[in-house]
C-alpha cells in the first residue's frame, strides 16, 4: 500500500513538473515571439544660409561717417577657406564704393596660418555704374573697378587674430587725408560666407563685377545707406551644419551607455563622435558592455542638409534605445536623446533630442572655427563635464536642425 502511494506521488510530481516545464517553454516562446524590429530615421533639416556671420560698422559721430584720420573696428570668426567681404561708400562720389575682390579678403595662407597685419592691398574701389560720375545723371552700366585710383592709399586695413576662438578683428582707418581723393566713408556692412566642407555657399557676396548692380549695393554706393543690405544679410545669415552617421544602441537598465550628463567623457569613444563624427570606437566599446544588446549605425558618410539616414534595429520588451550624432560644424558637440526611451516606442523623437557639449574640446563659432574638423582642424583639448549647449552662439533650435523618427 505504501509503495502504491509512493508511485502515485512520484507520478503526480513528474507530471506536474512536465506541465510546468512545458508552460515555461511555451512562455519563453511567447516572449521570443514578442521581439520586434523598428526603423530609426535621422534627417538633417537645416535651412541653408549664404552667410555664417554678418554685421555692420559705422563711425562714432553724427552722422556716423568715418572721417579722414578716424578708425573703426569689428570682430568676426572664420576658418580656412573662408573670407571676409565688406563694403562702404566712397563718400565724395556719385556712386563709388570700397570692397575687395570676390569672395573677400583672404584670411589664411596656403599652410592654413592666419594672415595678420596690414592687408590694405585687398581693398579696391568700384564704380557702381548707376550714376554718371560728373553729372550724377542716372545710367545703367556694369560695376567696374575705378581706374587710376589706388584704394589702399585711401584706406588702411589691419587684421588681428585670436587662435583659441578663431576670431579676427579688422580695423579700418581712413587714410585719405591730404590725397587727391580725400573722402569720408559711409557706414558699411560685412559678411563671412558659409562653408559646406567643399566650397563657399556664396562666392560673390554683395555684388558681381562686370554685371549690373543690385538695389542693396546701389543704396550704399549712392547714399551710404546700408538698410536694404542689412535686411538681405539678416535673412541670409545663420549657422548650419552637417550631421555624422548616427550611432544607435539597444540596452537594458536605466543608465544611458553613451553619455552621462554632468560627468566627464568616459573615454569609450564619444569624443571621437563629438569631435570628428567617427563612430567606430564607441561602437566597439558599447558592444563589450553586458547591458548592451545591439549597436547599429545609420549612414556611412556626413549627412548634409536635406538628406537622411536610416537603420533597422531589433529589440525585446523592456529594452531601451539611445542614439548620438555629431553636430558637424562644431568642435565637440553632439545630438542625443536626453531621457530614457522605450525601444518599443514609435513616432517623432525630435522633442526628446538635445544638443550637448562633450567637454573635450574648446568651443569656437559653429561653422567658422579653424580647429573644427570641418576645416581639417583638431579641437584644442579641454576636460569639462558633459553639458547642454547654451546660448553663447545663435545655434538654430534642435527641431530646425535634426528630425529623429522611429517606425
Amino acid at each position: 500500500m505504501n509503495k502504491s502511494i509512493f508511485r502515485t506521488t512520484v507520478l503526480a510530481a513528474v507530471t506536474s513538473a512536465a506541465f510546468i516545464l512545458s508552460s515555461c517553454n511555451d512562455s519563453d516562446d511567447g516572449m521570443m515571439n514578442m521581439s520586434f524590429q523598428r526603423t530609426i530615421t535621422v534627417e538633417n533639416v537645416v535651412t541653408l544660409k549664404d552667410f555664417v556671420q554678418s554685421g555692420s560698422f559705422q563711425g562714432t559721430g553724427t552722422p556716423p561717417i568715418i572721417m579722414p584720420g578716424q578708425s573703426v573696428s569689428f570682430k568676426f570668426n572664420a576658418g580656412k577657406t573662408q573670407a571676409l567681404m565688406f563694403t562702404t561708400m566712397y563718400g565724395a562720389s556719385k556712386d563709388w564704393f570700397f570692397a575687395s575682390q570676390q569672395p573677400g579678403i583672404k584670411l589664411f595662407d596656403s599652410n592654413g596660418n592666419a594672415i595678420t597685419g596690414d592687408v590694405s592691398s585687398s581693398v579696391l574701389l568700384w564704380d557702381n555704374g548707376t550714376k554718371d560720375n560728373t553729372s550724377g545723371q542716372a545710367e545703367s552700366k556694369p560695376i567696374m573697378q575705378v581706374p587710376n585710383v589706388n584704394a589702399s592709399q585711401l584706406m588702411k586695413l589691419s587684421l588681428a587674430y585670436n587662435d583659441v576662438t578663431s576670431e579676427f578683428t579688422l580695423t579700418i582707418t581712413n587714410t585719405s587725408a591730404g590725397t587727391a581723393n580725400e573722402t569720408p566713408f559711409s557706414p558699411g556692412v560685412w559678411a563671412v560666407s558659409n562653408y559646406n566642407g567643399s566650397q563657399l555657399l556664396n562666392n560673390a557676396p554683395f555684388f558681381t563685377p562686370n554685371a549690373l548692380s543690385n538695389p542693396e549695393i546701389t543704396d550704399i554706393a549712392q547714399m551710404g545707406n546700408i538698410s536694404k543690405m542689412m535686411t538681405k544679410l539678416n535673412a541670409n545669415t545663420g549657422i548650419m551644419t552637417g550631421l555624422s552617421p548616427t550611432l544607435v544602441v539597444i540596452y537594458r537598465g536605466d543608465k544611458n551607455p553613451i553619455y552621462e550628463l554632468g560627468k566627464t567623457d568616459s573615454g569609450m569613444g564619444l569624443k571621437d563622435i563629438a569631435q570628428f563624427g567617427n563612430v567606430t570606437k564607441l561602437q566597439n566599446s558599447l558592444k563589450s558592455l553586458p547591458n548592451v544588446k545591439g549597436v547599429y549605425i545609420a549612414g556611412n558618410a556626413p549627412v548634409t542638409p536635406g538628406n537622411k539616414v536610416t537603420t533597422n534595429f531589433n529589440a525585446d520588451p523592456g529594452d531601451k534605445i539611445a542614439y548620438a550624432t555629431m553636430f558637424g560644424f562644431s568642435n565637440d558637440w553632439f545630438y542625443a536623446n536626453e531621457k530614457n526611451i522605450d525601444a518599443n516606442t514609435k513616432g517623432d523623437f525630435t522633442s526628446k533630442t538635445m544638443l550637448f557639449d562633450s567637454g573635450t574640446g574648446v568651443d569656437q563659432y559653429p561653422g567658422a572655427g579653424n580647429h573644427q574638423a570641418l576645416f581639417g582642424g583638431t579641437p584644442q583639448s579641454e576636460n569639462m563635464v558633459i553639458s547642454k549647449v547654451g546660448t553663447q552662439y545663435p545655434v538654430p533650435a534642435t527641431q530646425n536642425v535634426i528630425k529623429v523618427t522611429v517606425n
Side-chain angles (χ1 to χ4, degrees):
M1 183 67 179
N2 289 339
K3 291 182 180 180
S4 175
I5 292 174
F6 176 78
R7 285 196 299 268
T8 302
T9 301
V10 171
L11 180 60
V14 171
T15 302
S16 176
F19 176 77
I20 293 171
L21 181 60
S22 174
S23 298
C24 288
N25 288 338
D26 288 345
S27 177
D28 287 345
D29 289 342
M31 288 295 289
M32 291 178 64
N33 290 335
M34 291 176 68
S35 297
F36 52 86
Q37 185 179 80
R38 297 280 184 266
T39 299
I40 185 169
T41 301
V42 179
E43 183 175 1
N44 186 332
V45 295
V46 165
T47 299
L48 295 178
K49 301 283 189 177
D50 279 354
F51 307 107
V52 64
Q53 278 185 315
S54 62
S56 63
F57 58 89
Q58 62 182 33
T60 57
T62 304
I65 57 178
I66 304 162
M67 296 297 293
Q70 294 181 338
S71 298
V72 63
S73 297
F74 60 87
K75 297 180 183 296
F76 62 94
N77 298 88
K80 299 182 187 77
T81 76
Q82 289 178 307
L84 172 74
M85 176 57 77
F86 80 94
T87 186
T88 177
M89 180 189 181
Y90 176 106
S93 73
K94 301 296 191 290
D95 67 340
W96 291 359
F97 64 95
F98 291 98
S100 72
Q101 292 277 16
Q102 306 291 5
I105 298 172
K106 186 176 181 181
L107 301 171
F108 295 90
D109 63 22
S110 58
N111 295 319
N113 299 312
I115 296 172
T116 58
D118 193 334
V119 292
S120 304
S121 60
S122 299
V123 70
L124 300 172
L125 186 58
W126 303 86
D127 185 332
N128 194 53
T130 51
K131 282 192 174 184
D132 182 87
N133 292 328
T134 302
S135 68
Q137 293 296 310
E139 62 182 12
S140 183
K141 294 181 179 179
I143 296 173
M144 301 289 290
Q145 189 175 340
V146 175
N148 305 317
V149 178
N150 186 345
S152 64
Q153 292 181 350
L154 311 178
M155 175 183 289
K156 180 181 178 181
L157 304 178
S158 181
L159 278 175
Y161 179 65
N162 182 326
D163 181 67
V164 174
T165 58
S166 202
E167 182 180 71
F168 288 88
T169 300
L170 178 69
T171 299
I172 301 173
T173 303
N174 187 331
T175 56
S176 68
T179 71
N181 298 97
E182 184 168 333
T183 180
F185 305 155
S186 74
V189 295
W190 60 269
V192 177
S193 292
N194 256 316
Y195 178 67
N196 67 5
S198 61
Q199 63 184 15
L200 296 176
L201 266 62
N202 193 326
N203 281 298
F206 303 172
F207 71 100
T208 302
N210 304 313
L212 293 178
S213 189
N214 54 69
E216 294 82 20
I217 204 73
T218 295
D219 270 15
I220 294 175
Q222 293 184 173
M223 300 176 289
N225 188 337
I226 65 173
S227 298
K228 287 182 181 177
M229 184 64 82
M230 281 307 303
T231 297
K232 186 174 183 178
L233 287 176
N234 289 337
N236 288 281
T237 299
I239 292 171
M240 65 176 205
T241 187
L243 302 173
S244 72
T246 300
L247 181 143
V248 180
V249 57
I250 305 301
Y251 67 100
R252 286 274 176 164
D254 294 326
K255 184 179 179 181
N256 187 326
I258 294 177
Y259 77 98
E260 190 171 356
L261 193 64
K263 298 291 183 68
T264 56
D265 177 65
S266 65
M268 294 177 61
L270 178 62
K271 173 182 175 180
D272 292 49
I273 293 180
Q275 292 193 4
F276 303 105
N278 188 337
V279 299
T280 303
K281 182 177 179 180
L282 185 57
Q283 179 185 19
N284 292 333
S285 296
L286 291 175
K287 286 180 178 178
S288 66
L289 298 181
N291 64 322
V292 170
K293 300 182 65 177
V295 184
Y296 306 85
I297 306 299
N300 55 15
V303 186
T304 54
N307 291 300
K308 58 187 176 183
V309 290
T310 65
T311 186
N312 297 326
F313 63 86
N314 298 308
D316 295 311
D319 289 348
K320 294 185 176 67
I321 183 173
Y323 49 87
T325 180
M326 180 189 183
F327 185 103
F329 289 13
S330 72
N331 295 74
D332 67 335
W333 295 354
F334 66 98
Y335 283 108
N337 53 299
E338 181 181 10
K339 299 183 183 301
N340 291 336
I341 302 175
D342 189 326
N344 197 25
T345 305
K346 292 183 180 180
D348 191 332
F349 285 11
T350 307
S351 64
K352 305 177 187 297
T353 306
M354 292 290 297
L355 182 59
F356 296 95
D357 186 331
S358 73
T360 59
V362 176
D363 290 336
Q364 297 174 323
Y365 198 97
N370 209 32
H371 288 282
Q372 293 165 1
L374 172 67
F375 301 101
T378 298
Q380 293 167 296
S381 180
E382 67 176 4
N383 187 30
M384 306 291 285
V385 299
I386 297 170
S387 61
K388 295 179 183 179
V389 170
T391 58
Q392 179 180 358
Y393 307 105
V395 181
T398 297
Q399 66 269 21
N400 294 328
V401 178
I402 186 173
K403 181 178 182 180
V404 182
T405 53
V406 173
N407 295 300

